[in-house]
Structure formats: structure tokens, C-alpha cells
Amino acid sequence: MTSPATAMSYETAVIDFLGLVAYGELTAFERLAADSGLAPTLDGKAQVAGMAAAEFDHFRRVRDRLTELGADPTAAMEPFAAPVDAFHEHTKPSGWLESLVKAYIGDTLTADFYREAARYLDPESRAVVEGVLEDLGHSAFVVEHVRAAIEEDPKISGRLALWGRRIMGEALTQAQHIAARRAALAALLAGVLAAPDCATTVDLAEVGRMLTRLTEAHGARMATLGLSA
């Protein structure tokens, strides 16, 4: 049985976090590869396929870092399969525009989450996570196409706004489930656990403040898409 001290160690926390990131990137690859089939044009298909390829490259980087840390990548990802899969199961897009909104909202929310945690990682792990945050221009493609669709048919904005709110709500629900079940990871996100070179005095209430920051950023991105939060 894992002792409380081991469960709350930085090593446990960073492997948990990288396991979550790895599984998130792997499922993002699968989702985007499937969504490329919804594209009404060859250009759209190629753009989304490129997004999928980038996600798989990110997965490989994180998987390799887990191996460097002496962790089994599959075992590290396993605790997060159920909540991540539940998120995707509850947010299946019904068409091309919903898939674009999900890609944009989901990816940018994930990037914000990674940035929050990266502050407390060791330099090598932080560099890997920062590499996952690279935006290869895909966000601009999504924003352009969603805003153009709304301009052509303003009635769809209400439906897409509801969809964006649903994605955010489901993401927060699953994040709270993960935090409740993975004590070391929650402590890392709160700044209570950190790499030796990351001094911090953050308290546990920081998890709530972090979720507030994520929610506020979501509102700004909904506005970028031309949708109300």
C-alpha cells in the first residue's frame, strides 16, 4: 500500500501530471483525426489532420519524459482514462462547427491548465510541457471559420454558445473529480508540492482560484469566437 508520504511526494505528483497530459494528448489526437472526416472541404480536412498530428507529437514528447523519470507511461496514464474519456463521451460534436468549437475551447483550456501546473515543475519537465503549448496557427484557422459561419448565419451563434458552455462545464466537472482522487496532483496544482527549485507559499485555496482564472479565460475566448459566455 502506498504510504501518505509517498502519495504526497513531488515525484508522485509530477508523474500523475505528466500521465494526465499524455493521455489528454493521445485522446486529442484520436478525436481530431476522427473530426477531420467532418470537414466540408479538403482544406479543412487537412487543417484538422495537421492538428491531430501535432497532438500525437506532443504525446510522444510527454511519454518520453515519463520514461526518463523511470515511470511506465501506460501505468501513469491509466488513472486518467475514465475522466478524460467521460469528458469526450459527454461532448461529442454533432457536426463540423461543433467540432471546431470543441477543438478551440478544449485545446486553449488545456493549455491554460498546463501553464498553471508548469510553474511548479522541474526544469526538464517544464520544458516538455511548454513544448506541448505550441500553437502552430490552428487557433487562427478555427476562429476564422467559426466567425465566418456566424456572420453567414447569425442564428447558429446561440447554439454554439450553449455548446461552448457545455464543454467548459464538463471540463470543470472532470477536473474536480481528478483533483478529489489524486491528492498529490491536487497539491501540485495548488503549489503545495513543487520541484525543489520552485519555492512557493500558495495555499490549498489556490485550486479554486485557478479554476476561476480558467473560467475567466474561457469567457474571453468565447468572445474571440463571437459567442457569449
Side-chain angles (χ1 to χ4, degrees), residues 70-103:
D72 177 347
T74 301
M77 290 189 290
E78 185 62 35
F80 307 104
V84 173
D85 288 351
F87 168 75
H88 289 300
E89 180 65 26
H90 298 157
T91 57
K92 286 183 177 178
S94 63
W96 171 239
L97 290 176
E98 286 192 3
S99 73
L100 288 182
V101 171
K102 180 179 176 180

Side-chain angles (χ1 to χ4, degrees), residues 43-87:
D43 178 60
K45 187 184 294 289
Q47 288 281 351
V48 176
M51 294 165 70
E55 298 288 12
F56 192 74
D57 181 59
H58 294 162
F59 161 72
R60 288 188 296 189
R61 294 189 210 178
V62 182
R63 178 199 60 193
D64 291 348
R65 177 58 183 159
L66 281 164
T67 301
E68 289 172 1
L69 291 171
D72 177 347
T74 301
M77 290 189 290
E78 185 62 35
F80 307 104
V84 173
D85 288 351
F87 168 75

